[in-house]
Amino acid sequence: MQAIARPLARVAPKHVRYTGSLSAWSAVPAGPPDPILGVTEAFKADKDPRKINLGVGAYRDENGKPYVLNAVKKAEEILAQQNPDKEYLPITGLPEFTQAAAKLAYGADSAPLLSNSVAATQSISGTGALRIGGSFLGRFYPHSKAIYIPTPSWGNHTPIFRDSGLEVKNYRYFDKKTVGLDFKGLKEDLKNMPEKSIVLLHACAHNPTGVDPTPEQWKEISDIMKEKSLFPFFDMAYQGFASGSTSHDAFAVRHFVTEGHQIALAQSFAKNMGLYGERVGLFSLVTADPEERARVDSQLKIVIRPMYSNPPLHGARIAATILRNQDLYSLWESEVKHMAGRIIDMRHRLHDNLVNLKTPGDWQHITRQIGMFSFTGLTQPQTKALAEKAHIYMTADGRISMAGLNSGNIDYFSESVSKAVKGEL
């Protein structure tokens, strides 16, 4: 029987064949917009010459421009003359940097440092240090898999620790009524935590409030944590940048270590050296002795290796050169003091302006707070009005970056805030 011929099936070209098919990523939901990025985008789209961006967490000079420290420029000149290679760093980073950075934080006379009992690793800025610490604690801290962070805290703390495998809980910190520290609530929450819980502490220049405990309050916090055997994890992103003094800003860290706490510490050199894009940081842990330090160090390498293998080179060389060269170190200290001083001056200018304009409310919290950020106490409707009517951009909760203010815009900002609070904007 003769076979019946069938028409050949038409085969679509490869570039057409899967058109209209379901994408592998079709079920991926859109993530929420970043609140800081939204502020920046709105600022960029605004054409008004009076516009002010107070959302960005980076230092700006008196003219509102990014500032590269002279100490950094000179360090780069020295490095260029040395014509260094571009080889991989060890997993835990540049030894000259890790040693100098740990000394800056703990102090030259630190007993754990002198006994070689501090495990330290270079990190991808403060964010990377926190992530390394979270992952290490998640694997090896035997007493808890939860970490308590202050309310409020830096917005990235929760996702960093959550993605590290830790449960994130909160303790009271900020008092909205006084726009200051809720010290009573803080102490009560510490006392009510399960023993040996992990507690995140902002070493200085609390982000986002700018509200820090006093040295005496830090001593009380240390005593309570020692009594409850709580584990302190310090985030120190602003050493020197807060008060202008590296030793003053390291008070809490050094006091806790002196009191016998085995702390974890995350450091960043983004703010105090202006090395934002270089991503320079350090994570460290106080251990019992050199043998324990060696074991901890070996496990830190195992945590880091699958993350990013080894850290960036150039920024660590810059920081190490500054920290190890006495002339550059002195220059750097003077520049950090100048940056901190300019922000402190802006705080006083803003406070005095608001008082002179008879702005309703008590504005003393502006000068009591410290560091780059200030919780102004402005309400969401007021911040919305400032953006829409005065072209002044900040996060909806009223947090501002003090570094965005300068002699050219402080009066306009003060007048606009006063009008917003009075309902006259």
Side-chain angles (χ1 to χ4, degrees):
M1 184 175 175
Q2 187 175 357
I4 299 173
R6 296 182 180 179
L8 293 173
R10 291 186 177 180
V11 179
K14 285 185 177 180
H15 69 282
V16 176
R17 195 179 305 170
Y18 299 109
T19 300
S21 64
L22 194 64
S23 167
W25 319 121
S26 61
V28 176
D34 184 280
I36 306 298
L37 184 60
V39 170
T40 301
E41 288 176 348
F43 170 80
K44 288 180 177 178
D46 193 327
K47 304 303 180 187
D48 193 286
R50 299 170 296 175
K51 67 179 182 178
I52 306 173
N53 184 4
L54 300 177
V56 179
Y59 182 78
R60 295 292 181 262
D61 66 14
E62 181 60 22
N63 299 310
K65 303 297 183 183
Y67 178 58
V68 180
L69 277 67
N70 290 314
V72 169
K73 293 177 181 177
K74 290 181 181 295
E76 288 189 309
E77 290 174 3
I78 291 172
L79 290 171
Q81 293 171 2
Q82 295 173 352
N83 193 28
D85 60 43
K86 299 293 184 183
E87 293 295 300
Y88 288 125
L89 281 176
I91 295 174
T92 52
L94 186 71
E96 297 89 341
F97 165 72
T98 59
Q99 293 164 11
K103 180 180 176 182
L104 178 71
Y106 291 90
D109 59 350
S110 168
L113 270 187
L114 293 174
S115 66
N116 195 26
S117 301
V118 175
T121 178
Q122 186 183 331
S123 62
I124 301 176
S125 203
T127 302
L130 291 163
R131 182 57 192 268
I132 292 168
S135 296
F136 182 85
L137 292 174
R139 292 187 190 187
F140 295 106
Y141 187 65
H143 307 296
S144 175
K145 299 306 175 188
I147 185 167
Y148 289 82
I149 68 174
T151 302
S153 197
W154 180 44
N156 217 13
H157 278 145
T158 294
I160 286 171
F161 292 124
R162 184 184 59 216
D163 289 356
S164 300
L166 296 174
E167 181 184 0
V168 179
K169 298 183 178 182
N170 297 92
Y171 63 88
R172 283 174 284 176
Y173 189 88
F174 183 68
D175 187 338
K176 290 184 178 179
K177 293 180 181 178
T178 64
V179 200
L181 182 66
D182 181 2
F183 192 49
K184 180 181 178 182
L186 187 159
K187 291 192 293 183
E188 286 179 356
D189 285 355
L190 289 177
K191 291 176 181 178
N192 290 329
M193 288 177 191
E195 286 194 357
K196 300 183 178 180
S197 294
I198 306 168
V199 182
L200 181 85
L201 301 164
H202 295 233
C204 60
H206 179 275
N207 179 3
T209 68
V211 175
D212 283 357
T214 64
E216 290 306 312
Q217 288 172 330
W218 274 123
K219 291 178 182 179
E220 282 192 62
I221 293 170
S222 171
D223 291 342
I224 294 170
M225 292 186 67
K226 183 185 287 188
E227 183 180 340
K228 294 281 296 186
S229 299
L230 302 176
F231 183 84
F233 189 163
F234 280 99
D235 183 359
M236 187 158 65
Y238 298 93
Q239 186 182 4
F241 193 92
S243 68
S245 165
T246 55
S247 58
H248 183 276
D249 292 347
F251 172 82
V253 168
R254 295 176 184 180
H255 176 75
F256 272 61
V257 173
T258 300
E259 289 296 299
H261 293 275
Q262 281 193 305
I263 72 164
L265 173 64
Q267 290 172 257
S268 168
F269 289 84
K271 306 297 192 299
N272 59 11
M273 285 191 181
L275 296 175
Y276 302 98
E278 300 291 356
R279 314 308 290 145
V280 187
L282 191 83
F283 174 72
S284 58
L285 281 164
V286 173
T287 68
D289 51 49
E291 187 273 333
E292 184 174 279
R293 181 205 58 76
R295 285 188 282 110
V296 168
D297 188 64
S298 71
Q299 291 296 340
L300 286 173
K301 291 175 182 176
I302 292 171
V303 168
I304 293 166
R305 176 65 169 150
M307 278 190 188
Y308 54 85
S309 284
N310 50 339
L313 175 59
H314 186 63
R317 279 177 170 160
I318 293 171
T321 302
I322 292 171
L323 294 174
R324 290 158 55 88
N325 181 305
Q326 188 55 53
D327 291 339
L328 288 185
Y329 185 86
S330 297
L331 174 60
W332 170 65
E333 279 197 314
S334 68
E335 290 187 282
V336 171
K337 187 174 183 179
H338 169 76
M339 290 191 292
R342 195 186 81 72
I343 288 178
I344 292 169
D345 288 345
M346 286 299 105
R347 289 186 178 278
H348 286 281
R349 282 278 299 274
L350 176 57
H351 169 267
D352 294 348
N353 282 357
L354 292 174
V355 171
N356 292 336
L357 290 165
K358 295 182 171 51
T359 311
D362 182 356
W363 297 96
Q364 291 184 36
H365 60 273
I366 298 292
T367 52
R368 284 199 300 262
Q369 295 168 1
I370 193 169
M372 180 172 288
F373 298 107
S374 173
F375 250 32
T376 59
L378 293 170
T379 65
Q380 190 164 340
Q382 289 166 348
T383 62
K384 184 179 180 183
L386 284 164
E388 294 176 351
K389 299 179 180 179
H391 313 278
I392 296 170
Y393 298 90
M394 65 187 76
T395 53
D397 57 10
R399 187 205 79 164
I400 63 172
S401 171
M402 293 301 302
L405 295 175
N406 55 61
S407 60
N409 63 22
I410 183 70
D411 292 336
Y412 174 68
F413 176 71
S414 304
E415 292 163 6
S416 299
V417 168
S418 186
K419 289 178 182 177
V421 173
K422 294 172 182 175
E424 299 173 355
L425 197 59

